[in-house]
Amino acid sequence: MTVMLSRQIFLRVYFIICRMVNGLLKTAQGVHPGAITTLSPTQDATFKLEAIKCLVGICRSMGVWMNKQLRISDSSLPRNSQTDDVNVDPGNTILSSNGIREEALNGMTFHAEISKDISEAATFEQRRAYKLELQEGISLFNRKPSKGIQFLINAKKVGDSPEDIATFLKKTSGLDLTMIGDYLGEREDFSLKVMHAYVDSFNFEGMEFDEAIRLFLQGFRLPGEAQKIDRIMEKFAECYSKCNPKAFTSADTAYVLAYSVILLNTDAHNPMVKNKMSKADFLRNNRGIDNGKDLPEVYLGSLYGRIAKHEIKMKDDTLTLPSKQPTNGNMILGLDSILNLVIRKRGEEKPLEKSDDLIRHMQEEFKAKTGKSESTYYAATDVEILRFMLEACWAPMLAAFSVTLGQSDDEVVTFHCLEGFRYAIHVTAVMGMQTQRDAFVTSVAKFTSLHSAADIKQKNIDAVKAIITIADEDGNYLQEAWEHILLCLSRFEHLHLLGEGAPPDATFFTVPHSESEKVKQPMSPVVHALKRKGPVQLQQAAAAARRGSYDSVGVGGYSSGLVTTEQMHNLVSNLNILEQIGSFEINHVFTHSQRLNSEAIVDFVKALCKVSMEELRSPTDPRVFSLTKIVEIAHYNMNRIRLVWTPIWHVLSSFFVTVGCSENLSIAIFVMDSLRQLAMKFLEREELANYNFQNEFMKPFVIVMQKSSSVEIRELVIRCVSQMVLARVNNVKSGWKSMFMVFTIAASDDHKNIVLLAFETIEKIVRDYFPYITETEITTFTDCVNCLIAFTKSRFNKDISLNAIAFLRFCALRLAEGSLISSSKSKDKEKSGKPATCFAVGLDSSKFTDEHDQLCFWIPLLAGFSKLSFDTRPDVRKSALQMLFDTLWHHGHLFSSSLWEQVFVLVLFPIFDFVRPAPNPAEGRVNVNGSENKYNGLDEDAWISETCTLALQLLVDLFVKFYQKVNHLLGKVLELLTNFIKQRIQSVAGIGVSAFVRLMNNAGRLFSDDKWQLVLLYLKSAAAETAPDCAQIAYNLVDSEPSDVEEEEEAIKSSPEVLDNRKMATKEVGDVGVDILQSAISDAKCCTAVQLLLVQVITEMYHMHGQRLSAANTMALLDILYSMAVHAHEVNSDYALRLKLQEVFWMTQMTDPPLLRLENEAYQAYLKLLQSVTHGKPFLAKEINIESRIIELCEEVLHVYISAACTKSFPEYSGDHSRPHSVIPLGSARRGELASRAPLVVSTLQAISGLKDATFGNCLSRFFPLLASLVSCEHGSGEVQLALSNILSSWIGPILLQA
């Protein structure tokens, strides 16, 4: 029944309003032309005026009722006179809910801690006096916190340190919780220190975020001023992040989430809030708060559930509040005015359902109602009713005010029409009716006629005043409509300056035209009145005199055409009218921007930036009025809490970046200088640890530095940043990231001056201000390192590169010394009383305490040195390499084993990436100037002979020095060295062999049996893969042989074209075949040389470390050497291969047999090692039966020699028997081969002579035929005959005589 009655009442009021407004509209419009009327003109005008007054009265009554229902201050209503300025900032100020609690101290129990000397007082009077004095101090604190604290300090009831006072505030009963919060929020230095000490006294480690807030807010009530709340919550977020470093990316996340949680708590548990925040709303409000990323949905969901279920309360929330105390949860927490700080307001409540069917149904019910109804007054309370009324009457009101104002110049009519506009704008703006609000605002803006200055009248000036008043009174609700208001102010300022004769902005921000390009205006008598303003002012005045459209940005638009004398006359008179509004009124809109709430200021800044962009867009008449105002309002609003300032700065930073990259150099310079001024002011604000405010503020400099194509702008950015750093070095904090990014970009700039200027600043920062870099955020150390690395690559000045390398060395020293300790961390104390764990080196132990920090700081630094080893400048390469290994040599003892592994894998091994094994042996050649950028431009030979050789030697020395920590990396080091050895360039392979020998000589004594086994495994692999492949040469020779000669001749005779094709194909195939053949020959020669080196390496290894080798490892070493000898012998015994090689001796230049030297030296070394084992390790020799190996080797060597000495010619092999074959020459060549084999045979005969009597006797039957053959064969040297004579006379003869 009640609902039906309400609908009927609403319907009745709705139709009354509609009829009344439409009737007033018709009255205000007057009699239509041509209509018959009995009214005189005076009466008609009076009727029109009264109708307008009635419409204004309706708007006014709507505004009063709406303000009452929404509890909006009456000051929000339009007023005729300016009110006195109040020193209160609505954007940041929050009224306290209950002020100071005047509770009597009688009956209350105080549990303040009593100092030891008082607690031990002997008399009751002393205790009583102490308690009374303490109560007096508490009472004074509850009225004036600062005076109360000072009183207690003077009375020696509390210590004078911030920690003592924080403990007193935290543990003393009887203190007013509101006063505690108010005192903690003060910005005085001492109060700030007390607040920091108070927050630091909490241990939030391991706590959920809402648990921490509950604990934190139990001891005080949040103050009523937003700035105070901001300081407290900022410190809380820092403390929580410090106690839980892995919870969030930075303290900024905790800071925003803290406000969001408080908002949720108020929303969920305040009975005045009807539409509660849902879980989806809460998740949406907190998107992207973790450094642009979303917090886990599960985490936020559980947080929402706990807050919604259990309200955050203070200790005294259970006490009975005074009867007049509002029960609003917002007021209890002191947050009633900042609920819009975290998120934008949720969408306006949907209007009541409106449809023609509903209204028609209500009409029928009303008509059908019978009976007599009593007159009853119903007071409306739902403000949404007003929305329907406005939807019904806004259009008639707009028409009435607009038509009347456009037709009449009467001051009274103008006044009431503008009053109606003001009330209508207020109501529609507060109700969130954007379309209607914008329609009213646009109409008033158009009535200013500032876009057509020649037509301005007094009523237009009044419209300008109305615009200013609207901006002042309803700024919090204008939203996008701010653009129309600011556009009017921009045009007014333009005309105002024109009237004063001031030079336009275009004078300073456009390129001057030549005389022929200047616009020539026709002369008129009126122009002489403006001649004193100069030629540029005349052009501006002519443009203003033209009638332009409202939508054009400039005064008079961009219209062209001649200016009439009448227009110029009007302009001169109108410029004088503009003086009714002074600069103070215009500036008032901007200075009072700090009074806008947190949402309105963002809308205001967006609109101002948009207008400024339009001003600057003009190619001929750019203006900077709005740009200067942007800088001003940034100054005015910079002291807002950071949660409000952040969205403001997002808008401003985007604007500064866009304009800073403008093609108009003068404007870009002006903008960057303005940004510098703002940054200097912003850097005056202190930033706590783990926050990112300063870095966000400095990002526009980085983006402009990256995007700007102007050398002047980039140089200006460097100068601005340099000035800011050197002037505000104490407060840069997180801004170091952006600072170093700017200098890093500058390091790679194409202009030398920019590079030099940037490095000059970096040099001063590192040398004089290094401790500030890591004062609150040690990760900025990596940014500094990356910046210096960028300068090491400077191509303009070698000294810059060398100095940057030296500074990197300095950074390494500071890192090793443990200087990267955050000042905030160094002050922390763990709750146990021990110093908090911080990143330090060499303080209490000899290694780093945090594995992650090792990788974050050392690896980028060392990798920077490593990459410089590929620099094209030899001096830079040498310096970087020396610094790299010096750093590791002197500070490697601080590294853990895991860090050492990363150093080798990520820093050292990449220097030698070019020796990675290639899948195709033909591609296995070194290519330092390959496709990788780090090798481009290098002198291959110089790099290999100088840098690579030195680097590999230093790596081996480093491995040996820190063998105890890096021994698990032996396999990777051996793999690197053997990859060198396997290369098909002799110089590179020689480097690997040399490094391998260096490793064995210096570290062999440290190897265990397992390590020796690993060494021999890689040595075996190197020996196997470097075995000379002479068969590949023969294979290529077979492929390159021509086809049957007779067949070719027949083909050529039958077709002459075949001859030409054959010649071309033969040339192409021949070129390719020759290249492959030469590559195979070169590889074979290289492998032969490497095998000879390996023979020496194995011999030297055994002489130095043979005593340490186990039986298995000794056998493995001997097997490697023997396998090399056998392979060489097999190649030398392949007579068909030798014949092929001799056929192309002119190309191969290989001796015959091709591997004779390798065979002899390998067998010789093998024999000597066997003898060394026999004499040096007799027990081992017996265990592995070395004697039998010696006998077999001697027999094999003698067979080979006899075979070579007695062979008359190569045996024929399958193939083309029609071709003649060469034979071994019976002269000098054959004698040369035998002479080469003679030393081995002599050593073999001596080895036989050295056998034990019994052993020799047992083997006599095996050796005697061989010795007899030696007697009968030809020899190339008398050494063999002499050795044979000795063995026959000393051994064979006596045995035969005995027989």
Side-chain angles (χ1 to χ4, degrees):
M1 184 65 182
T2 304
V3 175
M4 291 293 298
L5 187 59
S6 298
R7 288 183 176 181
Q8 293 169 359
I9 295 171
F10 165 73
L11 184 61
R12 180 181 297 176
V13 173
Y14 177 81
F15 281 108
I16 291 175
I17 291 294
C18 289
R19 293 176 60 186
M20 181 170 53
V21 171
N22 285 312
L24 291 173
L25 171 61
K26 293 179 180 179
T27 304
Q29 289 177 341
V31 181
H32 293 289
I36 301 174
T37 178
T38 58
L39 297 176
S40 65
T42 304
Q43 292 175 329
D44 184 50
T46 303
F47 269 107
K48 291 181 180 180
L49 178 59
E50 293 302 321
I52 293 296
K53 289 182 178 179
C54 290
L55 290 174
V56 173
I58 293 174
C59 288
R60 182 189 300 111
S61 62
M62 287 181 177
V64 172
W65 181 81
M66 178 191 67
N67 291 347
K68 181 180 179 181
Q69 299 303 317
L70 297 178
R71 294 182 176 85
I72 299 177
S73 172
D74 290 339
S75 60
S76 298
L77 280 173
R79 53 190 181 274
N80 296 329
S81 60
Q82 295 289 343
T83 58
D84 295 335
D85 293 342
V86 181
N87 294 325
V88 178
D89 183 358
N92 283 337
T93 305
I94 305 147
L95 298 177
S96 177
S97 59
N98 57 352
I100 302 175
R101 286 165 58 181
E102 297 288 346
E103 296 183 3
L105 295 177
N106 296 333
M108 296 184 65
T109 305
F110 298 93
H111 302 285
E113 293 185 356
I114 303 175
S115 59
K116 184 177 180 181
D117 56 338
I118 298 299
S119 64
E120 295 177 353
T123 65
F124 174 78
E125 289 297 330
Q126 287 178 322
R127 293 188 178 184
R128 182 172 178 273
Y130 171 83
K131 192 170 184 178
L132 289 175
E133 195 170 18
L134 179 61
Q135 289 178 353
E136 183 181 356
I138 293 175
S139 177
L140 181 58
F141 176 87
N142 288 341
R143 297 192 303 274
K144 298 289 184 180
S146 298
K147 292 184 178 180
I149 291 296
Q150 191 60 45
F151 174 84
L152 292 169
I153 292 175
N154 295 337
K156 297 184 179 181
K157 299 300 180 291
V158 65
D160 58 356
S161 68
E163 289 77 13
D164 292 338
I165 297 175
T167 303
F168 172 79
L169 296 177
K170 190 175 181 181
K171 297 184 177 181
T172 303
S173 299
L175 295 176
D176 189 300
L177 299 185
T178 302
M179 292 298 104
I180 295 177
D182 193 64
Y183 180 75
L184 292 176
E186 293 293 339
R187 67 177 303 167
E188 284 75 14
D189 290 342
F190 187 74
S191 299
L192 203 59
K193 292 178 181 179
V194 172
M195 186 268 287
H196 285 191
Y198 182 89
V199 179
D200 288 336
S201 66
F202 288 88
N203 183 6
F204 300 126
E205 185 175 358
M207 285 188 178
E208 292 291 345
F209 192 73
D210 58 309
E211 293 178 8
I213 292 183
R214 294 178 197 276
L215 176 64
F216 182 60
L217 294 180
Q218 281 184 354
F220 66 96
R221 189 184 304 278
L222 286 173
E225 184 180 339
Q227 287 287 356
K228 293 183 178 181
I229 295 177
D230 185 64
R231 282 189 283 271
I232 295 174
M233 298 312 295
E234 186 178 343
K235 180 61 182 176
F236 162 78
E238 183 213 29
C239 184
Y240 183 84
S241 299
K242 197 178 297 180
C243 294
N244 303 276
K246 296 182 180 180
F248 306 115
T249 302
S250 66
D252 300 83
T253 307
Y255 171 76
V256 176
L257 188 60
Y259 275 106
S260 187
V261 166
I262 294 174
L263 173 64
L264 172 63
N265 182 76
T266 302
D267 186 280
H269 301 286
N270 183 2
M272 302 294 291
V273 179
K274 296 180 181 180
N275 298 324
K276 301 295 184 182
M277 184 188 303
S278 65
K279 181 179 178 180
D281 292 333
F282 184 70
L283 295 177
R284 182 172 58 255
N285 295 342
N286 291 285
R287 286 177 183 168
I289 66 173
D290 193 26
N291 197 20
K293 301 178 182 178
D294 293 342
L295 291 174
E297 186 173 339
V298 176
Y299 176 83
L300 291 177
S302 60
L303 182 62
Y304 174 87
R306 292 193 297 271
I307 296 296
K309 187 176 181 180
H310 302 289
E311 182 181 1
I312 298 176
K313 297 181 179 180
M314 294 187 302
K315 291 180 180 179
D316 66 340
D317 276 355
T318 56
L319 297 177
T320 303
L321 295 174
S323 59
K324 295 184 180 180
Q325 180 75 9
T327 58
N328 189 333
N330 304 347
M331 303 288 280
I332 293 175
L333 287 174
L335 295 172
D336 51 319
S337 297
I338 61 168
L339 295 184
N340 59 349
L341 296 183
V342 179
I343 58 170
R344 301 283 292 186
K345 290 181 180 178
R346 294 196 293 274
E348 299 288 347
E349 294 182 7
K350 295 182 180 179
L352 297 176
E353 183 181 1
K354 185 183 74 169
S355 66
D356 294 339
D357 294 337
L358 177 61
I359 296 176
R360 190 178 302 109
H361 176 68
M362 294 173 64
Q363 275 182 319
E364 292 174 357
E365 289 184 348
F366 180 73
K367 292 178 180 179
K369 184 179 178 183
T370 58
K372 212 171 189 181
S373 61
E374 299 179 357
S375 297
T376 307
Y377 179 78
Y378 294 94
T381 57
D382 192 349
V383 75
E384 284 298 328
I385 295 176
L386 186 60
R387 186 184 300 274
F388 292 100
M389 296 182 180
L390 288 172
E391 288 177 348
C393 66
W394 76 271
M397 287 183 175
L398 177 62
F401 297 147
S402 299
V403 172
T404 305
L405 186 59
Q407 293 177 349
S408 175
D409 293 335
D410 183 78
E411 293 184 4
V412 177
V413 174
T414 300
F415 170 78
H416 287 293
C417 288
L418 292 177
E419 282 291 294
F421 273 117
R422 289 169 54 193
Y423 285 119
I425 290 172
H426 172 71
V427 177
T428 54
V430 174
M431 291 300 297
M433 303 173 70
Q434 298 181 4
T435 302
Q436 293 80 354
R437 176 203 64 205
D438 291 348
F440 283 109
V441 173
T442 305
S443 295
V444 179
K446 289 182 178 180
F447 275 114
T448 61
S449 292
L450 294 173
H451 52 284
S452 182
D455 300 329
I456 291 179
K457 301 177 182 179
Q458 180 59 46
K459 65 178 180 181
N460 303 120
I461 300 300
D462 294 336
V464 175
K465 295 178 180 178
I467 284 288
I468 296 174
T469 304
I470 291 168
D472 183 51
E473 295 173 350
D474 295 309
N476 285 332
Y477 311 104
L478 291 176
Q479 297 179 345
E480 291 82 2
W482 268 114
E483 182 181 348
H484 300 287
I485 293 177
L486 295 174
L487 185 58
C488 288
L489 299 182
S490 172
R491 290 168 171 170
F492 180 86
E493 186 271 346
H494 190 188
L495 293 175
H496 187 72
L497 291 180
L498 188 61
E500 293 181 348
D505 296 339
T507 306
F508 309 100
F509 298 108
T510 57
V511 179
H513 294 285
S514 62
E515 291 297 327
S516 61
E517 293 175 327
K518 291 182 179 180
V519 179
K520 297 183 179 180
Q521 297 292 341
M523 297 295 292
S524 69
V526 182
V527 175
H528 293 286
L530 295 172
K531 270 192 172 182
R532 68 178 187 276
K533 303 181 185 299
V536 179
Q537 285 78 2
L538 283 176
Q539 295 178 30
Q540 297 294 321
R546 301 188 187 102
R547 290 183 173 86
S549 66
Y550 172 77
D551 294 330
S552 61
V553 178
V555 175
Y558 300 131
S559 59
S560 60
L562 299 178
V563 180
T564 65
T565 303
E566 180 183 1
Q567 289 176 336
M568 294 300 295
H569 273 295
N570 293 337
L571 176 62
V572 173
S573 60
N574 291 343
L575 291 179
N576 296 327
I577 297 176
L578 293 177
E579 295 179 358
Q580 296 179 29
I581 302 175
S583 299
F584 173 79
E585 286 80 1
I586 300 296
N587 293 331
H588 181 80
V589 176
F590 300 98
T591 56
H592 279 214
S593 64
Q594 54 191 325
R595 298 171 55 188
L596 298 174
N597 63 33
S598 58
E599 292 181 357
I601 184 60
V602 177
D603 294 327
F604 178 82
V605 171
K606 286 181 179 179
L608 187 57
C609 290
K610 189 173 182 180
V611 172
S612 179
M613 289 296 295
E614 294 296 330
E615 290 180 350
L616 299 172
R617 191 170 295 169
S618 171
T620 58
D621 185 24
R623 299 179 56 239
V624 294
F625 168 73
S626 297
L627 177 57
T628 57
K629 294 305 176 184
I630 286 175
V631 178
E632 290 179 16
I633 63 106
H635 277 287
Y636 298 148
N637 293 274
M638 195 175 290
N639 290 327
R640 287 179 181 262
I641 65 173
R642 304 195 186 205
L643 201 64
V644 177
W645 171 253
T646 299
I648 296 175
W649 182 245
H650 284 165
V651 178
L652 292 177
S653 61
S654 177
F655 171 79
F656 281 121
V657 168
T658 302
V659 182
C661 297
S662 171
E663 296 180 357
N664 190 322
L665 181 61
S666 300
I667 290 178
I669 291 175
F670 183 85
V671 167
M672 296 312 299
D673 186 66
S674 301
L675 182 60
R676 177 194 60 80
Q677 297 176 37
L678 289 177
M680 291 290 285
K681 181 174 177 61
F682 190 82
L683 285 176
E684 294 176 0
R685 304 180 66 178
E686 183 182 1
E687 182 183 60
L688 300 177
N690 299 320
Y691 278 95
N692 205 35
F693 293 124
Q694 310 287 35
N695 184 41
E696 289 295 327
F697 197 92
M698 299 302 160
K699 279 186 178 179
F701 290 104
V702 180
I703 301 174
V704 172
M705 191 69 190
Q706 288 175 327
K707 295 184 176 181
S708 179
S709 58
S710 171
V711 178
E712 292 83 355
I713 293 300
R714 298 201 300 274
E715 183 174 348
L716 179 61
V717 170
I718 296 298
R719 294 188 183 279
C720 290
V721 172
S722 301
Q723 181 184 1
M724 287 186 293
V725 171
L726 300 180
R728 297 283 190 270
V729 68
N730 294 329
N731 292 335
V732 176
K733 305 298 174 62
S734 66
W736 284 113
K737 293 181 180 294
S738 293
M739 299 291 187
F740 285 126
M741 182 60 69
V742 169
F743 293 126
T744 302
I745 298 170
S748 57
D749 201 276
D750 296 332
H751 289 76
K752 183 176 181 180
N753 291 339
I754 294 178
V755 178
L756 294 176
L757 182 62
F759 186 74
E760 181 181 348
T761 305
I762 281 293
E763 189 175 13
K764 187 170 183 61
I765 289 173
V766 176
R767 180 182 290 115
D768 300 337
Y769 304 117
F770 187 83
Y772 293 100
I773 296 176
T774 57
E775 184 178 5
T776 58
E777 184 61 49
I778 57 178
T779 56
T780 51
F781 173 79
T782 303
D783 300 314
C784 177
V785 168
N786 291 334
C787 182
L788 290 172
I789 291 173
F791 277 105
T792 60
K793 303 173 184 178
S794 173
R795 64 180 186 274
F796 292 113
N797 193 326
K798 183 177 67 175
D799 292 337
I800 289 180
S801 300
L802 296 176
N803 288 336
I805 292 174
F807 281 125
L808 285 172
R809 170 66 170 162
F810 171 77
C811 292
L813 290 174
R814 300 304 296 268
L815 179 58
E817 291 170 358
S819 300
L820 305 189
I821 304 177
S822 171
S823 61
S824 60
K825 290 185 178 181
S826 65
K827 297 177 183 177
D828 290 343
K829 302 286 185 180
E830 291 195 8
K831 307 312 170 186
S832 60
K834 297 180 181 180
T837 302
C838 61
F839 179 77
V841 182
L843 298 180
D844 299 323
S845 61
S846 60
K847 62 172 62 178
F848 290 105
T849 58
D850 192 291
E851 293 289 331
H852 178 69
D853 287 336
Q854 298 178 38
L855 297 178
C856 288
F857 301 129
W858 278 108
I859 295 301
L861 174 61
L862 299 173
F865 286 129
S866 175
K867 292 177 181 178
L868 285 175
S869 62
F870 301 101
D871 197 281
T872 57
R873 297 162 293 182
D875 293 343
V876 175
R877 289 204 307 266
K878 182 178 179 181
S879 177
L881 204 63
Q882 195 67 42
M883 291 293 183
L884 171 62
F885 285 97
D886 281 351
T887 300
L888 294 172
W889 186 272
H890 291 101
H891 307 304
H893 64 283
L894 303 173
F895 295 0
S896 63
S897 296
S898 60
L899 177 58
W900 265 117
E901 183 173 1
Q902 296 299 320
V903 168
F904 271 87
V905 173
L906 301 177
V907 177
L908 299 179
F909 290 154
I911 299 176
F912 314 102
D913 278 348
F914 72 94
V915 296
R916 289 194 303 265
N920 185 355
E923 298 175 359
R925 305 177 64 83
V926 174
N927 183 16
V928 178
N929 296 322
S931 59
E932 296 187 36
N933 291 334
K934 62 183 181 180
Y935 299 131
N936 287 343
L938 281 177
D939 182 351
E940 177 180 338
D941 295 334
W943 189 86
I944 291 176
S945 61
E946 299 172 4
T947 307
C948 183
T949 303
L950 177 61
L952 196 60
Q953 292 175 355
L954 293 174
L955 183 145
V956 171
D957 293 344
L958 192 69
F959 180 83
V960 174
K961 178 177 175 62
F962 299 103
Y963 178 78
Q964 298 304 324
K965 289 186 177 182
V966 300
N967 61 83
H968 62 288
L969 299 174
L970 178 61
K972 294 183 178 180
V973 174
L974 290 171
E975 181 181 9
L976 173 65
L977 299 182
T978 52
N979 283 338
F980 266 92
I981 296 173
K982 295 173 186 178
Q983 293 299 311
R984 294 300 191 259
I985 286 187
Q986 188 171 341
S987 59
V988 177
I991 293 172
V993 172
S994 177
F996 188 88
V997 172
R998 194 184 190 95
L999 177 63
M1000 295 301 106
N1001 292 346
N1002 298 331
R1005 56 187 173 79
L1006 305 174
F1007 292 163
S1008 61
D1009 285 343
D1010 293 340
K1011 300 300 182 185
W1012 272 113
Q1013 185 178 359
L1014 188 64
V1015 171
L1016 296 175
L1017 181 64
Y1018 278 98
L1019 184 59
K1020 180 180 179 180
S1021 172
E1025 294 196 28
T1026 57
D1029 189 6
C1030 295
Q1032 184 67 27
I1033 302 176
Y1035 175 79
N1036 292 325
L1037 286 172
V1038 172
D1039 287 346
S1040 62
E1041 285 185 355
S1043 58
D1044 188 85
V1045 177
E1046 294 180 359
E1047 294 180 0
E1048 292 222 2
E1049 290 177 354
E1050 290 293 333
I1052 293 172
K1053 289 178 182 180
S1054 62
S1055 176
E1057 296 179 358
V1058 174
L1059 178 61
D1060 298 333
N1061 295 336
R1062 290 288 186 184
K1063 288 181 179 180
M1064 295 180 62
T1066 302
K1067 184 179 185 304
E1068 293 177 0
V1069 175
D1071 292 342
V1072 175
V1074 170
D1075 291 340
I1076 296 176
L1077 180 60
Q1078 289 178 343
S1079 176
I1081 295 171
S1082 175
D1083 289 349
K1085 289 182 177 181
C1086 176
C1087 290
T1088 303
V1090 173
Q1091 292 263 301
L1092 290 171
L1093 292 175
L1094 290 179
V1095 170
Q1096 298 176 11
V1097 170
I1098 293 173
T1099 304
E1100 187 174 349
M1101 280 176 56
Y1102 183 81
H1103 289 326
M1104 291 192 65
H1105 308 294
Q1107 296 299 324
R1108 300 184 180 90
L1109 298 178
S1110 63
N1113 290 334
T1114 302
M1115 289 285 292
L1117 184 65
L1118 293 173
D1119 289 341
I1120 293 171
L1121 192 56
Y1122 181 69
S1123 65
M1124 296 168 63
V1126 169
H1127 174 76
H1129 172 64
E1130 290 175 351
V1131 173
N1132 292 332
S1133 301
D1134 189 344
Y1135 295 107
L1137 173 62
R1138 291 168 58 184
L1139 177 61
K1140 279 284 186 184
L1141 295 177
Q1142 285 301 302
E1143 289 179 350
V1144 290
F1145 176 78
W1146 60 273
M1147 181 183 293
T1148 63
Q1149 297 294 316
M1150 297 178 70
T1151 60
D1152 182 63
L1155 303 182
L1156 179 60
R1157 180 186 174 189
L1158 176 60
E1159 179 185 354
N1160 288 337
E1161 291 193 12
Y1163 273 130
Q1164 185 82 279
Y1166 181 55
L1167 177 60
K1168 289 183 179 180
L1169 290 189
L1170 291 175
Q1171 292 174 329
S1172 298
V1173 173
T1174 302
H1175 296 99
K1177 304 167 72 174
F1179 294 102
L1180 179 62
K1182 186 175 181 181
E1183 179 182 350
I1184 60 178
N1185 198 10
I1186 292 295
E1187 197 172 65
S1188 64
R1189 286 195 171 218
I1190 294 177
I1191 293 172
E1192 293 174 357
L1193 176 61
C1194 293
E1195 188 177 6
E1196 183 178 350
V1197 170
L1198 293 178
H1199 271 298
V1200 171
Y1201 183 81
I1202 293 171
S1203 176
C1206 299
T1207 300
K1208 300 301 181 182
S1209 64
F1210 290 120
E1212 294 183 355
Y1213 64 96
S1214 59
D1216 185 4
H1217 298 282
S1218 64
R1219 295 189 181 186
H1221 299 286
S1222 300
V1223 297
I1224 294 180
L1226 301 177
S1228 60
R1230 180 178 172 191
R1231 284 195 298 270
E1233 176 187 350
L1234 295 178
S1236 299
R1237 294 182 182 274
L1240 175 60
V1241 175
V1242 171
S1243 298
T1244 301
L1245 294 176
Q1246 291 175 351
I1248 294 174
S1249 301
L1251 294 175
K1252 297 179 181 179
D1253 294 347
T1255 303
F1256 185 83
N1258 294 334
C1259 299
L1260 183 60
S1261 59
R1262 299 169 62 180
F1263 287 125
F1264 189 78
L1266 297 174
L1267 296 176
S1269 298
L1270 285 176
V1271 174
S1272 61
C1273 69
E1274 181 180 352
H1275 300 286
S1277 171
E1279 297 176 0
V1280 177
Q1281 295 171 327
L1282 180 61
L1284 182 61
S1285 174
N1286 291 335
I1287 192 174
L1288 290 175
S1289 62
S1290 60
W1291 283 98
I1292 304 300
I1295 292 177
L1296 292 176
L1297 291 176
Q1298 288 181 355

